[in-house]
Amino acid sequence: MRSRVSTATAAAARDAGRTGAAAEGRTATSAGGDPAPAAGSRAARTVRPDAAGAGEGRRAQAAPLRPRHGRAPLHPGAWWLWSLGLGTAATRTTNPLLLALLTAATGYVVATHRSPSPWSRSYAAFAKLAVAVLLIRLAFTVALGSPIPGTHVLVTLPEIPLPHWAQGIRLGGRVTAEALLFAGYNGLKLATLLICVGAANALASPARLLKSLPGALYEVGVAVVVALTFAPHLIADVQRLRAARRLRGRPDRGVRGLLQVGLPVLEGALERSVALAAAMDARGYGRTAEVPARVRRTTTALTLGGLLGVCAGTYGLLTAEGGTYGVPVLGAGVAAALAGLRLGGRRSPRTRYRPDPWGVRAWLVAGSGAGVAALLTLAAVRDPDALHPGVVPLVAPTLPLWPAAAVLLALLPAFVVPKPVEEPS
């Protein structure tokens, strides 16, 4: 009996040895035929392909995303401060050469640093709007006349007599070169301002800009983001419903087609709105923190006073008479508004996911726009004739040297901000 048990035990040991050797042989060969460490060795215990792959995946998910040039993207607020500075500089002069230089500077920066995103195409739309504004300004001058006296008559249009209560307004009559030149200078100033704003729209990401809003304005930012997100859906719904009606042989134009297309679009928008509201409510949107009553009153006073100061200072900057008080009033208004927004942010506890850093390049970009605005404001005070060429009598505009050099400061972002790198398709 004892011999039979020993024989069975020895057979089991031999089978176990053969199984272990086979398993060791299978482990020692990789999928490609290359030798691999044995199952019981230290290398096999240390390096586990499945665990290593999972760890690398977790590390890749946790690592922050960076652009391909290895630097953080420029803060979108810096682009807006740069463009607003250039727009302020454009309001300080009517010299067409300086305005053309400002337009060329913004166009060069946009051409070199515009990303391939859809919102970056808005610069062309703003440029077309600027040309339309200039042409409309000239058309109104031709049709309604101008108070600028002139002796160089270009054309005489038939004049329509108006009643006595419309004195000071005329339709038709003489069109002088002085009146057209004056209207062209002012229209070009407004057109340059629109182009500067278009440059900010083309360079700064609207989603990142709204994410960078202070805590007191996050509700406004969320509303704008929702509107920007739902607008393409509405356009897609309209196109889809119109195509479906055409395929069914039904009219998609006119009042009847508009009503029958608009109702399904409105229904879909309401369904998306209800779903979004439920999702936001589930995530605790709208919760506020308790703050003392005196903090709320101080916040309201600072915010309203700051906005009034900003409006008064902006009006002073846009008018020649308010050049002395415009800058200090605007600065005080901005400081008060920022303090109010900082206090108002206490009621809205929130965090930002990967906030955009404000670094040295952002300071340089914003400072270049502010420098152009300050230098042209100083030039308008010291040498107004160079920045505002006369039209009576007709004189050719000249290019002042140091104001032109100040405008070239607007090209600084083209050299300090790295160009965006397109991802391979």
Side-chain angles (χ1 to χ4, degrees):
M1 183 69 179
R2 186 176 301 168
S3 61
R4 285 196 298 269
V5 172
S6 300
T7 304
T9 305
R14 287 194 301 271
D15 294 338
R18 286 194 297 268
T19 305
E24 185 176 356
R26 286 193 300 266
T27 307
T29 306
S30 63
D34 297 331
S41 64
R42 180 177 300 179
R45 289 194 300 267
T46 304
V47 180
R48 294 175 56 193
D50 53 344
E56 290 178 1
R58 286 193 295 269
R59 285 193 296 271
Q61 292 176 2
L65 297 177
R66 292 291 182 185
R68 294 186 63 192
H69 46 68
R71 297 182 181 179
L74 187 69
H75 197 285
W79 287 122
W80 272 99
L81 292 177
W82 172 77
S83 65
L84 291 178
L86 299 187
T88 303
T91 61
R92 309 312 300 169
T93 179
T94 56
N95 191 319
L97 300 179
L98 291 177
L99 294 175
L101 197 59
L102 274 172
T103 304
T106 57
Y108 178 78
V109 174
V110 170
T112 55
H113 289 75
R114 182 173 55 182
S115 65
S117 303
W119 44 262
S120 62
R121 304 170 188 169
S122 59
Y123 185 77
F126 275 88
K128 294 176 182 179
L129 180 61
V131 174
V133 166
L134 179 59
L135 295 178
I136 290 173
R137 182 71 172 85
L138 294 176
F140 270 92
T141 301
V142 171
L144 303 178
S146 175
I148 302 299
T151 56
H152 298 79
V153 180
L154 299 178
V155 64
T156 302
L157 300 177
E159 187 171 355
I160 301 175
L162 297 176
H164 64 87
W165 51 265
Q167 293 181 359
I169 303 175
R170 66 176 180 85
L171 296 176
R174 299 188 309 163
V175 180
T176 62
E178 290 84 354
L180 280 180
L181 196 60
F182 180 78
Y185 285 170
N186 287 275
L188 186 60
K189 178 171 67 173
L190 182 56
T192 306
L193 179 60
L194 289 174
I195 289 177
C196 293
V197 175
N201 282 273
L203 293 171
S205 171
R208 289 172 49 213
L209 180 65
L210 292 171
K211 187 180 69 173
S212 303
L213 288 177
L217 300 178
Y218 87 102
E219 294 181 352
V220 179
V222 170
V224 176
V225 168
V226 170
L228 293 176
T229 304
F230 277 8
H233 291 288
L234 293 177
I235 297 175
D237 287 347
V238 171
Q239 294 177 350
R240 177 175 54 82
L241 290 172
R242 291 185 62 185
R245 291 185 62 82
R246 285 195 298 268
L247 289 175
R248 293 182 176 92
R250 298 176 182 177
D252 61 329
R253 300 180 182 274
V255 178
R256 182 180 177 183
L258 179 63
L259 292 176
Q260 295 185 357
V261 169
L263 290 178
V265 170
L266 180 59
E267 182 182 359
L270 290 177
E271 290 179 356
R272 282 192 295 267
S273 301
V274 171
L276 178 63
M280 294 171 69
D281 184 67
R283 288 167 174 80
Y285 175 78
R287 64 187 182 92
T288 57
E290 292 294 335
V291 294
R294 56 183 179 82
V295 176
R296 293 198 299 268
R297 289 193 292 267
T298 304
T299 301
T300 303
L302 287 175
T303 305
L304 292 179
L307 292 178
L308 291 176
V310 169
C311 293
T314 305
Y315 176 78
L317 289 176
L318 295 178
T319 57
E321 295 80 5
T324 56
Y325 69 86
V327 175
V329 172
L330 179 61
V334 169
L338 291 177
L341 292 177
R342 184 63 179 268
L343 289 177
R346 295 183 179 181
R347 298 185 66 250
S348 303
R350 58 191 290 263
T351 58
R352 292 186 179 92
Y353 178 67
R354 290 176 180 169
D356 291 319
W358 186 280
V360 177
R361 293 183 291 124
W363 283 112
L364 290 175
V365 171
S368 64
V372 174
L375 291 175
L376 281 191
T377 302
L378 181 62
V381 174
R382 292 191 173 183
D383 192 6
D385 294 335
L387 269 70
H388 300 279
V391 294
V392 181
L394 286 175
V395 293
T398 59
L399 182 64
L401 294 181
W402 74 269
V407 172
L408 293 179
L409 185 62
L411 294 173
L412 183 63
F415 303 100
V416 300
V417 179
K419 298 180 181 179
V421 181
E422 296 185 6
E423 296 291 339
S425 58

